[in-house]
Amino acid sequence: MVKRRYRLLLSAVLVFLAVLVVYGFLPLSSGSQNVLTVGAFAGSYWSLQNGNSYKILDDAIDLFEKENPGVRVQYVSGITRDQYQEWLSGKKAEGKMPDVFLVPSDSFQSFAEIGAMQSLDGFIKHDNDFSEDVFYEKALQSGRYRNMLYALPYECSPVIMVMNRTLLQDNGIPEPRKDWTWNEFYEACRMTGVSEGEASGQYGVIDYSWKDAFAANRVKLFNDKGTACDFTGDNINEALILLEQLSKLPKGKVISAGDFYKGVVAFEPMSFATYRARVQNDLSYQNYSDFEWGYTSMPAGTAGDNVSRLDTLTVAMSSDSHSKRDAWRFIKTLTATEAIQKEIYDYSEGLSPLKSVTEDPAMEEYVLDRYGVVLDRDVITYVMERAENENRFPDYEELETEVTTAVDSILEDKSNIRMEQIIWNRRINNYIKKLSY
């Protein structure tokens, strides 16, 4: 009996020690300095020119190493955004995944499905110095998979509706409120594009896509795994009708994206990162600066809300890491440390998902004075509360192209939209089956 109790006690101790090792509270080696590896890429996540791609990471490393003198952090530089996922996949195959790595939204589900990321729920539960509430909830959701949190948000960018305030005012069109609707959006576009019954040389909107319309009307086009599509719903029908109405307006189709710069377009959806880059850096903006820019939320669909598509760059921990405690601490340094997150407004283009940073009046004043960019806290908070992460899965880009073809065909044929939805629903699902072979 004593021996049996001894064996049970020993087994319990070994299990406890194993748990400590898994979560990084006990190291596998007793070296004097632990090395923490980080996966990162060069350049801007938002496909914009950026010569400071490692600046924030370097400063986070400096801060972390000062606070954790027994840990050295290192990363491989020079990996481009296009090479990054393949590089990470190669490291995973070699059993050499970095302890901490940046996760683009289009890679998140793939890495979650193969178990490459460590769940962070246990770390959060036992960390009294950390709260999920510091982040915008929709940005935080971007790191969830099957109700488990695998990554924390590092930087995000919602789609906003940029507007030419001067053009709206000159045409007697009220500036839209945050809670504006498709009807108000259409009417503003109609009033912009006509003058005394004839085309005015002005455009209502440029680049308002089916993705914007579907999001605004709460369309769930694909299932979570991307193995089935429902293109027949009423919400899609309403979105297609709006797109058809917009296309029929005078000069409803704009060819040149530069027309917004020329002051002849009232509205253009943009990611916040693109808006920032254009205001801060784009010479076209400087050449056509005789009108006032502004932005608001996206217009709400008849069955939806003022929903913006949200893209979020997250930070995850490798499930194979032998330094999970240090990895967790470094993830917090990157994502939840105000001093590091503030640098997003100097060295990148998106929004900080840390509410205390983005909604800080001092930060709003700083960004406006230094870069001419308006951080409208009221609008940003409203947008982020209603933003939705795009459902990314393998083959998403191919299916997105197929849906674009479907929408373009329906709008160009000017035939029965309901019937075309049924036809294209069958075609898209057949295409999905071909991709799966």
Side-chain angles (χ1 to χ4, degrees):
M1 181 66 71
V2 174
K3 289 183 178 180
R4 184 171 180 272
R5 288 179 179 175
Y6 175 77
R7 286 197 299 270
L8 290 173
L9 178 61
L10 179 60
S11 298
V13 170
L14 291 175
V15 169
F16 177 69
L17 292 175
V19 170
L20 291 179
V21 169
V22 167
Y23 281 96
F25 292 104
L26 283 181
L28 288 178
S29 62
S30 56
S32 58
Q33 190 176 48
N34 186 32
V35 176
L36 193 71
T37 56
V38 177
F41 50 82
S44 169
Y45 174 65
W46 312 109
S47 301
L48 301 164
Q49 290 186 351
N50 187 329
N52 301 301
S53 55
Y54 295 118
K55 173 63 176 169
I56 303 175
L57 179 59
D58 287 336
D59 288 347
I61 290 172
D62 289 343
L63 176 61
F64 179 81
E65 290 181 342
K66 288 177 183 177
E67 295 178 345
N68 300 270
V71 186
R72 180 166 57 89
V73 183
Q74 62 183 26
Y75 63 90
V76 177
S77 62
I79 303 165
T80 66
R81 172 72 175 85
D82 292 337
Q83 300 169 332
Y84 182 64
Q85 181 167 347
E86 183 178 353
W87 178 81
L88 277 180
S89 298
K91 289 297 181 182
K92 176 64 176 174
E94 295 171 9
K96 297 180 180 179
M97 271 292 269
D99 297 290
V100 174
F101 57 100
L102 299 178
V103 188
S105 61
D106 56 2
S107 304
F108 178 83
Q109 184 165 327
S110 297
F111 284 118
E113 288 180 347
I114 65 173
M117 299 184 291
Q118 173 70 44
S119 169
L120 303 180
D121 293 325
F123 297 93
I124 294 172
K125 181 179 179 180
H126 294 98
D127 192 335
N128 295 328
D129 296 326
F130 178 82
S131 172
E132 299 176 34
D133 295 338
V134 300
F135 300 108
Y136 289 109
E137 172 59 24
K138 296 304 176 66
L140 186 68
Q141 285 180 7
S142 65
R144 293 193 187 279
Y145 179 74
R146 294 181 178 172
N147 297 319
M148 297 182 73
L149 187 67
Y150 287 97
L152 293 184
Y154 170 67
E155 186 177 1
C156 62
S157 180
V159 174
I160 54 175
M161 184 66 82
V162 178
M163 55 187 167
N164 182 332
R165 282 181 164 145
T166 303
L167 186 61
L168 293 177
Q169 184 176 1
D170 290 347
N171 285 271
I173 302 170
E175 185 172 317
R177 308 181 311 275
K178 300 189 300 294
D179 60 347
W180 64 321
T181 66
W182 273 354
N183 288 337
E184 293 167 306
F185 172 49
Y186 173 79
E187 187 63 18
C189 292
R190 186 190 66 78
M191 291 174 64
T192 303
V194 296
S195 177
E196 297 180 358
E198 297 180 358
S200 64
Q202 299 172 347
Y203 306 87
V205 64
I206 179 176
D207 288 343
Y208 186 79
S209 72
W210 65 263
K211 290 183 286 186
D212 299 313
F214 284 18
N217 218 32
R218 298 291 189 190
V219 169
K220 184 173 175 56
L221 188 57
F222 301 104
N223 64 6
D224 291 340
K225 292 186 177 182
T227 57
C229 171
D230 182 4
F231 197 70
T232 62
D234 291 342
N235 290 15
I236 293 179
N237 182 260
E238 292 166 356
L240 292 173
I241 289 173
L242 171 72
L243 293 170
E244 183 182 49
Q245 290 173 337
L246 289 172
S247 70
K248 290 179 178 179
L249 292 175
K251 300 206 172 181
K253 295 183 179 180
V254 183
I255 303 301
S256 172
D259 283 334
F260 186 87
Y261 292 125
K262 299 174 185 178
V264 297
V265 177
F267 301 107
E268 181 179 0
M270 295 183 199
S271 72
F272 190 87
T274 300
Y275 162 75
R276 274 190 61 190
R278 287 190 179 182
V279 172
Q280 291 177 202
N281 307 317
D282 204 311
L283 292 177
S284 297
Y285 168 73
Q286 298 173 23
N287 292 337
Y288 300 107
S289 57
D290 57 344
F291 64 90
E292 183 183 359
W293 290 49
Y295 62 84
T296 188
S297 63
M298 299 295 286
T302 52
D305 200 351
N306 302 99
V307 176
S308 293
R309 292 177 289 121
L310 178 65
D311 193 0
T312 305
L313 177 64
T314 57
V315 186
M317 178 193 307
S318 169
S319 56
D320 298 331
S321 173
H322 298 307
S323 305
K324 289 187 170 69
R325 180 177 58 174
D326 293 327
W328 168 243
R329 289 174 176 171
F330 187 68
I331 289 173
K332 289 196 301 178
T333 299
L334 271 177
T335 63
T337 303
E338 288 189 359
I340 299 302
Q341 280 289 305
K342 285 180 179 179
E343 293 193 4
I344 287 174
Y345 294 105
D346 281 318
Y347 305 117
S348 190
E349 301 85 19
L351 285 172
S352 167
L354 207 57
K355 290 185 285 188
S356 61
V357 170
T358 296
E359 296 179 5
D360 183 359
M363 180 58 66
E364 179 181 20
E365 182 178 353
Y366 170 79
V367 174
L368 180 61
D369 290 345
R370 181 156 186 171
Y371 300 110
V373 173
V374 176
L375 280 182
D376 189 325
R377 292 175 291 136
D378 189 32
V379 171
I380 289 172
T381 299
Y382 186 86
V383 167
M384 289 300 295
E385 287 174 347
R386 290 159 178 79
E388 292 294 342
N389 297 288
E390 291 188 276
N391 182 20
R392 296 280 185 170
F393 45 78
D395 300 324
Y396 176 83
E397 292 185 359
E398 289 88 342
L399 292 178
E400 184 182 83
T401 301
E402 191 73 2
V403 175
T404 299
T405 301
V407 172
D408 289 346
S409 174
I410 291 171
L411 297 182
E412 289 172 4
D413 289 347
K414 304 186 187 307
S415 55
N416 184 288
I417 292 179
R418 286 281 189 190
M419 184 60 66
E420 288 295 311
Q421 283 181 256
I422 295 172
I423 294 171
W424 276 102
N425 185 70
R426 183 170 59 252
R427 291 180 181 176
I428 295 169
N429 279 287
N430 286 337
Y431 186 72
I432 292 173
K433 291 178 182 178
K434 290 180 181 179
L435 290 174
S436 64
Y437 291 149

